[in-house]
Amino acid sequence: MRVRIRLMKPWLFIMPALLIYLTVIFVPSLYTLYLSFFNWNGVAPTKQFVGFRNYADLIFRDSVFLKALANNILWTIGSLTIIMGIGLMLALLLNKKIKGRIVFRGIFYFPFVLSGVIVATIWTWMYNPMQGFVNKLLESIGLENWALAWLAEPKIALYAVFVAAIWHGVGQPLVLFLAGLQTIPQDPYEAAVIDGAKPYQMFWNISLPLLRETFVIVVAITMVSSMKVYDIVYAMTGGGPAESTHVLASWMYFQTFKFANIGIGSAISMFLIFITMIVIIPYVYYTTKKSHV
């Protein structure tokens, strides 16, 4: 009896989190997968089974879906290069003993604390064609010809939104990289200085190898966040102009709740889950395995 109770104890501790995971994530995901095989408007008493037709329609007939997928890929590439790169550079700078570094850490991290809707509101005002800060700044330095309706131009709207996302998101990799840098002992750097190593050599041969585990975490978080980006895009452009800034999450919302295509919306969510899994799982497995070699 005592042995049985001892074996049950770990499960008792796991049970609350397991129940939350099953009820909030696992079961709804299975139900979404189930709905993706039906044509249903969400209120009709019956559902029409269509098999994989929803998936085929998205791939071969829905140009907005393909555009949203391409936007997600561009967003992910930009996040992995620009946002992570800026975060790493700021972390390297703020890891040095400079005056006011604590204040600067707070300043650069503060935007990440704000919600995406608040950030979208701030930057929408900044992009205002008539009174916005961006166009007023361009006019003040003699570049009034560069002033644009930034969120109304299909070719540049997504990039304008991404600039706001950079301001919003750079704080997360900054803090993670900074935490990783502070775990690195100073001995290798002191030895490198004695040997006459340049700063870039110390970064390439000491900092980067010892930040491997931090990079695994930051890259994984960045890729997941990029694939499920929604709030800042929806709040700034609503997927427009001319459907040019839609991402998978926003197009899923439109199909599900605005067009009442529950099956199509569920299929988009399954695409989103599948794409995220095929990218994240091999990456984390490979990098984790490599870090333990």
Side-chain angles (χ1 to χ4, degrees):
M1 186 67 180
R2 289 181 179 180
V3 175
R4 185 175 300 176
I5 294 174
R6 189 182 303 169
L7 293 175
M8 287 295 295
K9 276 186 179 181
W11 290 101
L12 293 175
F13 286 106
I14 295 174
M15 194 61 65
L18 183 61
L19 288 175
I20 293 173
Y21 175 80
L22 291 174
T23 56
V24 177
I25 298 177
F26 186 72
V27 173
S29 298
L30 286 181
Y31 186 60
T32 302
L33 177 62
Y34 166 78
L35 290 177
S36 69
F37 297 112
F38 290 86
N39 180 19
W40 186 45
N41 63 7
V43 294
T46 59
K47 309 178 186 71
Q48 180 186 2
F49 180 77
V50 294
F52 288 95
R53 194 178 73 187
N54 289 332
Y55 294 92
D57 287 346
L58 286 173
I59 296 173
F60 299 108
R61 298 181 182 179
D62 192 343
S63 60
V64 179
F65 169 78
L66 298 178
K67 179 65 175 177
L69 178 60
N71 287 342
N72 265 110
I73 294 172
L74 285 175
W75 196 283
T76 302
I77 294 172
S79 298
L80 291 173
T81 54
I82 300 174
I83 294 180
M84 273 186 55
I86 295 174
L88 179 58
M89 287 188 293
L90 289 174
L92 291 169
L93 178 63
L94 296 177
N95 192 47
K96 299 181 181 296
K97 294 180 180 180
I98 58 176
K99 189 175 181 179
R101 62 176 179 170
I102 303 297
V103 176
F104 285 114
R105 289 174 186 175
I107 291 173
F108 286 117
Y109 184 71
F110 172 72
F112 182 71
V113 179
L114 303 176
S115 71
V117 176
I118 293 175
V119 173
T121 303
I122 294 171
W123 280 85
T124 299
W125 277 103
M126 291 177 64
Y127 283 134
N128 185 281
M130 303 302 297
Q131 301 297 328
F133 171 78
V134 176
N135 282 350
K136 289 295 183 181
L137 177 63
L138 291 173
E139 292 172 6
S140 67
I141 60 177
L143 297 175
E144 57 273 1
N145 292 333
W146 289 23
L148 298 169
W150 297 94
L151 300 179
E153 296 285 342
K155 292 183 179 180
I156 63 172
L158 182 69
Y159 302 104
V161 176
F162 186 71
V163 170
I166 294 174
W167 182 77
H168 181 216
V170 76
Q172 185 180 46
L174 162 63
V175 170
L176 294 173
F177 281 130
L178 192 58
L181 287 169
Q182 291 178 348
T183 63
I184 300 175
Q186 292 300 310
D187 296 345
Y189 294 105
E190 294 172 357
V193 170
I194 294 173
D195 292 338
K198 304 293 184 181
Y200 73 90
Q201 292 174 321
M202 290 189 287
F203 168 73
W204 188 259
N205 295 298
I206 300 175
S207 299
L208 276 184
L210 295 178
L211 283 174
R212 179 180 296 172
E213 285 76 11
T214 305
F215 267 100
V216 173
I217 296 171
V218 175
V219 171
I221 291 174
T222 302
M223 285 195 291
V224 172
S225 300
S226 301
M227 291 306 300
K228 66 185 184 69
V229 61
Y230 166 75
D231 50 359
I232 193 169
V233 174
Y234 182 79
M236 289 187 72
T237 65
E243 316 289 2
S244 62
T245 61
H246 268 303
V247 289
L248 291 177
S250 65
W251 190 233
M252 175 184 66
Y253 170 81
F254 270 69
Q255 286 287 357
T256 304
F257 298 105
K258 290 203 170 185
F259 305 149
N261 293 328
I262 305 300
I264 293 291
S266 299
I268 295 174
S269 68
M270 287 296 104
F271 264 116
L272 187 56
I273 292 173
F274 178 72
I275 293 170
T276 304
M277 289 179 64
I278 64 174
V279 172
I280 291 296
I281 292 177
Y283 166 76
V284 173
Y285 174 78
Y286 173 75
T287 51
T288 305
K289 183 179 179 180
K290 188 176 179 180
S291 64
H292 286 86
V293 173

